[in-house]
C-alpha cells in the first residue's frame, strides 16, 4: 500500500500560509501538533462558503476517506512545500473485520496513511496471536486488537487490509489436507509413545550391552534394543508367524489406531470401509535374523530343518502385511525401502495417497530389527559404529565434537494419517498437519554422504515448498544426525544453508535411541509430532560439546519451549547410497 507509483513519496518542507492561499494538491497540516505528529492531508477540493470562510476537502496522502474542514481565510495553516496529484491519491476505506474468521497464516497490513513517510506494517497470525513481521518494533496483538484497528481505521487515518491465508495451488487441482490423528511407538526407551516422550524429555537413553553369546567376539557389543520381548505382548499363535520387526510394527500400529480413536480389532469394528484405508511402512531388511537362522538350520539339520515360514518372514514387506492382516486393511499395504530414509519416505508416500484420494486413512511409519551379529560385524568393519559404556552415558554423540559413529538400534514408529475432512467428520483429535515432504538423491557414493550437503538441502527446500510454506516458517528441525563424523557435518551444512542465520532449535534423538535404521524416520516423526503438540523441544543426549563446524542451535541439557514465530517442523532422514527424505509438519490452530 505504501509509496506506490500513484502515491509517490513527498519531501516535507513545512512553511505556514493563510488558509485562503491553499489550493487542491497542497499537503496540509492544520496545526503544529499535526506537523509534529506527522499528520498530513491532501487538499482535494476547496469551496468558498462565505466572505471569510472556505471549506476544504481533505484526504490522507497515502489513501483513505475524505473529511471536510471549515477554515477562516486568514487562519494560519502549514503546507509541506510540494503539491500532489489529487487523482493519484486513492479514496479507500478499511473494511470491517467483525465477522471475519481469522486463521493461522492470515496476514493483516496496516499503513498510517496520514504520514507520507510511513511504512506498511504486516502482522502474521500464528497460534492464535498476531506478530509483526520483519524488523518492525510494532510488537504483537490479538484478534480483538485487529478488529478494533479496522473499526477505528478511517477515524485514525490508517488503512487496514486483511489477506486470508493463501490456498496452496495444489488444492485447486483437488489435493486434500492431511492430518495426524494417532501415534504409536516401540523403541529402546520402552513400549508406547508415553515411554518414548517421557524418556526424551528426561534425557534418558535405551542403549544396552548385548549379552547374548552370539555377539561374543564382536568389536562392538552395544545397541539400542527394545527392553521387552514383543512376542510376549501379542497372541502366541500370531506372534509365531511374525518376524521381530513385524511384531514391533503391529504393536505400534495398534497403539496408533487406538490413539486415533478407532475401535480395537480394526476397520470393520470401527465402521470404516477397509478399502479406503492403507498401510505404508519403511524397512531396510525388516528382520535379518530370520534368514540367518534359516541358513544355520539348513547347515545343522538339513532341508527338513528349515521352516516353511522362513521366506514370508524374511521379506521386508512382512511388517506392512502383518499390520494389514491385524487391522483388516485392504486398501493397500505398501513397503518403502530406501536405506535409513525408508520410514520418512513411507510417511510421505502415504501423505500423497491421501491427498489425491487413493485412501482416506493410512498407517505410516517404519519398523526394523537388524541387531544381529552379521549386521553388527559389517557396520564395525566399516568403522561406522560407536563404542562406549552405556552405564556411563549414551555412547552416541550426535553433533558433538567427540562423535565417532552411530549405535545400531531397533523399533517401530507409526502415525495414523487422515484427510482433514475425514478426521473432522468423525470429531477426531488432530495433532498436527502432515503438510508436505521432499525427496532427493546425492548421487555421490555407495555409503558416504555428499560433504557439500547439496542433496540434503534440496530435500529440505522441497519439503517446505510442498507444505506451501516458507523457510521463515520453520521453528524446529528433528535432525537425522547419526553421530558419524561426515554425516552430521553434511546435514549441518545443509540445514544452515537452507535456514540461513536464523537460530532454529535443532535436536537429534539417536543419543537416546541409537540409529533405528528403516524405523528411524517413523519414530522421529512421532517425536516431531509430539514436539508440535506439546510445544516442547526435547534435548539432544550425548552431545557434551557441539562441534564448532556444526554451527547449529543444538538443544542440549534441558527441554526448550518451541518458538512461536513460525509453524513448521522438519523431520530429516538420510540413508546409505544418498537417499534423502524430509517430512514437514504444521501446527493446526
Amino acid at each position: 500500500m505504501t509509496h506506490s507509483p500513484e502515491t509517490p513519496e513527498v519531501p516535507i518542507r513545512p512553511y505556514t500560509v493563510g488558509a485562503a492561499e491553499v489550493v487542491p494538491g497542497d499537503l496540509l497540516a492544520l496545526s503544529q501538533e499535526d506537523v509534529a505528529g506527522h499528520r498530513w492531508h491532501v487538499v482535494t477540493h476547496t469551496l468558498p462558503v462565505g466572505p471569510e470562510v472556505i471549506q476544504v476537502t481533505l484526504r490522507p496522502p497515502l489513501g483513505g476517506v475524505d473529511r471536510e474542514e471549515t477554515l477562516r481565510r486568514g487562519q494560519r495553516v502549514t503546507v509541506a512545500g510540494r503539491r500532489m496529484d489529487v487523482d493519484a491519491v486513492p479514496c479507500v476505506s478499511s473494511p470491517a473485520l467483525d465477522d471475519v474468521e481469522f486463521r493461522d497464516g492470515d496476514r493483516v497490513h496496516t499503513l498510517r496513511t496520514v504520514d507520507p513517510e510511513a511504512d506498511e506494517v504486516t502482522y502474521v497470525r500464528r497460534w492464535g496471536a498476531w506478530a509483526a513481521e520483519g524488523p518492525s518494533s510494532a510488537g504483537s496483538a490479538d484478534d480483538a486488537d485487529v478488529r478494533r484497528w479496522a473499526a477505528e481505521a478511517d477515524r485514525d487515518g490508517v488503512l487496514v487490509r486483511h489477506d486470508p491465508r493463501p490456498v496452496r495451488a495444489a488444492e485447486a487441482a483437488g489435493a486434500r489436507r492431511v492430518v495426524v490423528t494417532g501415534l504409536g511407538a516401540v523403541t529402546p526407551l520402552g513400549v508406547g509413545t508415553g515411554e518414548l516422550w517421557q524418556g526424551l524429555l528426561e534425557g534418558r537413553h535405551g542403549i544396552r550391552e548385548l549379552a547374548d553369546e552370539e555377539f561374543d567376539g564382536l568389536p562392538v557389543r552395544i545397541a539400542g534394543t527394545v527392553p521387552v520381548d514383543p512376542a510376549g505382548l501379542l497372541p502366541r499363535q500370531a506372534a509365531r508367524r511374525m518376524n521381530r520387526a513385524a511384531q514391533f510394527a503391529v504393536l505400534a500400529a495398534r497403539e496408533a489406531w487406538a490413539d486415533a480413536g478407532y475401535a480395537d480389532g480394526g476397520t470393520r469394528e470401527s465402521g470404516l470401509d477397509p478399502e479406503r484405508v492403507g498401510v505404508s511402512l519403511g524397512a531396510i531388511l525388516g528382520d535379518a535374523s530370520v534368514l540367518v537362522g534359516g541358513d544355520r538350520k539348513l547347515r545343522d539339520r538339513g532341508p527338513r530343518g528349515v521352516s516353511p515360514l522362513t521366506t514370508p518372514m524374511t521379506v521386508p514387506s512382512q511388517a506392512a502385511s502383518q499390520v494389514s492382516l491385524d487391522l483388516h486393511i485392504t486398501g493397500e499395504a505398501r513397503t518403502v525401502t530406501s536405506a535409513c530414509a525408508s520410514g520418512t519416505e513411507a510417511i510421505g508416500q502415504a501423505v500423497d495417497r491421501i491427498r489425491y484420494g487413493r485412501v482416506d486413512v493410512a498407517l505410516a511409519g517404519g519398523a526394523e530389527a537388524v541387531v544381529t551379529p552379521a549386521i553388527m560385524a559389517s557396520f564395525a568393519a566399516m568403522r561406522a559404529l560407536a563404542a562406549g559404556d552405556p552405564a556411563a552415558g549414551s555412547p552416541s554423540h550426535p553433533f558433538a565434537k567427540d562423535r565417532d559413529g552411530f549405535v545400531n538400534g531397533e523399533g517401530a514408529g507409526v502415525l495414523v494419517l487422515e484427510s482433514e475432512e475425514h478426521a473432522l467428520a468423525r470429531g477426531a483429535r488432530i495433532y498436527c498437519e502432515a503438510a508436505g515432504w521432499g525427496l532427493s538423491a546425492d548421487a555421490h557414493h555407495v555409503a558416504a554422504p555428499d560433504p557439500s550437503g547439496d542433496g540434503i538441502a534440496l530435500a529440505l527446500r522441497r519439503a517446505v515448498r510442498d507444505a506451501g510454506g516458507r523457510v521463515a516458517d520453520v521453528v524446529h528441525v528433528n535432525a537425522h544426525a547419526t553421530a558419524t563424523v561426515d554425516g552430521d557435518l553434511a546435514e549441518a551444512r545443509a540445514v544452515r544453508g537452507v535456514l540461513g542465520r536464523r537460530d532454529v532449535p535443532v535436536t537429534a534423538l539417536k543419543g537416546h535411541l541409537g540409529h533405528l535404521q528403516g524405523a528411524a524416520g517413523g519414530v522421529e516423526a512421532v517425536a516431531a509430532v509430539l514436539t508440535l503438540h506439546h510445544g516442547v523441544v526435547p534435548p539432544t543426549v550425548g552431545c557434551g560439546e557441539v562441534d564448532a563446524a556444526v554451527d547449529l542451535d543444538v538443544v542440549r541439557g534441558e527441554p526448550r519451549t518451541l518458538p512461536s514465530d513460525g509453524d513448521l517442523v522438519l523431520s530429516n532422514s538420510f540413508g546409505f547410497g544418498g537417499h534423502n527424505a524430509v517430512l514437514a509438519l504444521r501446527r493446526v490452530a
Side-chain angles (χ1 to χ4, degrees):
M1 290 188 292
T2 182
H3 299 152
S4 68
E6 291 77 19
T7 56
E9 295 187 47
V10 177
I12 305 299
R13 302 188 184 93
Y15 64 93
T16 59
V17 297
E21 301 176 65
V22 170
V23 297
D26 277 343
L27 200 58
L28 176 72
L30 295 174
S31 67
Q32 289 303 310
E33 289 79 9
D34 284 351
V35 174
H38 301 280
R39 187 175 182 86
W40 298 87
H41 287 81
V42 179
V43 178
T44 62
H45 186 68
T46 61
L47 177 68
V49 293
E52 297 298 326
V53 177
I54 59 173
Q55 182 175 285
V56 294
T57 303
L58 304 176
R59 184 179 301 168
L62 299 183
V65 296
D66 291 343
R67 55 182 282 196
E68 306 289 343
E69 289 286 342
T70 301
L71 306 176
R72 299 186 313 276
R73 289 182 175 273
Q75 180 177 337
R76 304 300 290 178
V77 294
T78 303
V79 293
R82 180 177 172 178
R83 292 195 177 110
M84 295 184 65
D85 180 358
V86 173
D87 292 335
V89 182
C91 182
V92 291
S93 178
S94 298
L97 299 179
D98 293 342
D99 298 326
V100 174
E101 181 178 349
F102 297 128
R103 298 177 60 229
D104 278 7
D106 285 5
R107 281 175 162 75
V108 162
H109 311 274
T110 66
L111 177 64
R112 190 168 182 265
T113 55
V114 294
D115 182 358
E117 298 175 335
D119 289 318
E120 183 178 87
V121 178
T122 297
Y123 293 80
V124 183
R125 191 178 191 270
R126 295 192 178 98
W127 300 4
W130 298 85
E133 200 174 44
S136 172
S137 59
S140 60
D142 58 24
D143 289 349
D145 291 328
V146 172
R147 298 186 200 283
R148 177 173 50 78
W149 294 345
E152 300 174 358
D154 292 347
R155 185 197 68 190
D156 294 342
V158 176
L159 275 180
V160 176
R161 187 181 78 235
H162 171 236
D163 285 343
R165 173 181 170 179
V167 177
R168 292 176 298 176
E171 291 184 351
R176 301 187 296 179
R177 196 177 185 203
V178 181
V179 296
V180 180
T181 58
L183 302 172
V186 179
T187 75
L189 289 172
V191 176
T193 56
E195 290 292 319
L196 170 65
W197 185 242
Q198 196 62 35
L200 295 180
L201 295 183
E202 292 174 357
R204 290 188 279 112
H205 74 82
I207 297 169
R208 300 170 178 84
E209 191 97 24
L210 297 172
D212 292 352
E213 63 179 19
E214 64 179 349
F215 295 102
D216 288 349
L218 292 181
V220 177
R221 296 184 56 186
I222 57 170
T225 55
V226 174
V228 299
D229 180 4
L233 303 177
L234 294 165
R236 183 179 178 185
Q237 189 66 22
R240 289 180 64 247
R241 295 177 178 272
M242 300 183 201
N243 64 32
R244 186 173 173 87
Q247 292 168 359
F248 292 152
V250 168
L251 290 172
R254 285 182 175 184
E255 181 190 12
W257 188 256
D259 187 47
Y262 288 118
D264 292 347
T267 55
R268 290 173 294 196
E269 292 79 0
S270 301
L272 294 176
D273 179 356
E275 296 181 4
R276 299 297 302 168
V277 184
V279 179
S280 180
L281 294 182
I284 302 175
L285 297 174
D287 184 350
S289 66
V290 176
L291 186 58
V292 172
D295 187 66
R296 183 180 298 123
K297 290 175 182 177
L298 176 64
R299 292 197 309 269
D300 294 345
R301 295 155 53 185
R304 291 182 179 274
V306 179
S307 167
L309 293 175
T310 299
T311 297
M313 290 176 64
T314 295
V315 294
S317 60
Q318 218 230 2
S321 68
Q322 287 294 333
V323 170
S324 71
L325 282 166
D326 189 67
L327 297 174
H328 191 68
I329 294 170
T330 64
E332 56 190 37
R334 303 160 61 85
T335 299
V336 175
T337 300
S338 53
C340 308
S342 300
T344 297
E345 184 174 345
I347 296 170
Q349 297 276 8
V351 168
D352 278 353
R353 301 298 286 176
I354 295 171
R355 271 178 174 173
Y356 300 110
R358 304 300 189 269
V359 294
D360 299 317
V361 181
L363 290 102
E368 201 81 76
V370 291
V371 182
T372 66
I375 297 296
M376 294 291 292
S378 174
F379 284 143
M382 296 170 62
R383 299 182 179 179
L385 291 182
D389 181 5
S394 175
S396 176
H397 303 160
F399 290 134
K401 185 176 181 179
D402 63 349
R403 67 190 185 278
D404 61 352
F406 70 86
V407 173
N408 195 19
E410 63 179 9
V414 174
L415 284 63
V416 173
L417 304 174
E418 301 185 44
S419 69
E420 183 182 42
E421 61 197 42
H422 189 276
L424 292 176
R426 68 182 186 88
R429 180 268 323 280
I430 294 175
Y431 281 106
C432 66
E433 179 187 0
W437 65 298
L439 287 178
S440 71
D442 282 354
H444 174 73
H445 189 270
V446 66
D450 181 352
S452 72
D454 289 348
I456 295 171
L458 178 59
L460 288 164
R461 290 194 298 270
R462 284 176 168 172
V464 173
R465 185 164 57 247
D466 190 50
R470 301 175 305 161
V471 168
D473 297 328
V474 178
V475 290
H476 170 55
V477 177
N478 189 306
H480 185 65
T482 60
T484 57
V485 175
D486 295 334
D488 285 12
L489 199 54
E491 181 176 10
R493 285 175 180 147
V495 171
R496 178 58 76 189
V498 171
L499 299 186
R501 301 311 305 174
R502 295 171 57 236
D503 284 331
V504 174
V506 175
T507 195
L509 306 186
K510 291 179 177 63
H512 296 269
L513 306 171
H515 189 349
L516 308 190
Q517 309 299 328
V523 171
E524 289 162 9
V526 169
V529 170
L530 290 171
T531 295
L532 264 179
H533 182 65
H534 293 293
V536 177
V537 181
T540 301
V541 165
C543 184
E545 180 181 356
V546 179
D547 183 350
V550 166
D551 192 26
L552 295 176
D553 180 16
V554 180
V555 179
R556 297 179 296 147
E558 297 292 332
R560 188 187 300 179
T561 300
L562 189 70
S564 59
D565 57 349
D567 56 8
L568 282 184
V569 165
L570 304 180
S571 184
N572 297 347
S573 293
F574 316 119
F576 284 152
H579 298 279
N580 304 311
V582 177
L583 177 67
L585 303 166
R586 177 178 283 115
R587 173 89 176 243
V588 175

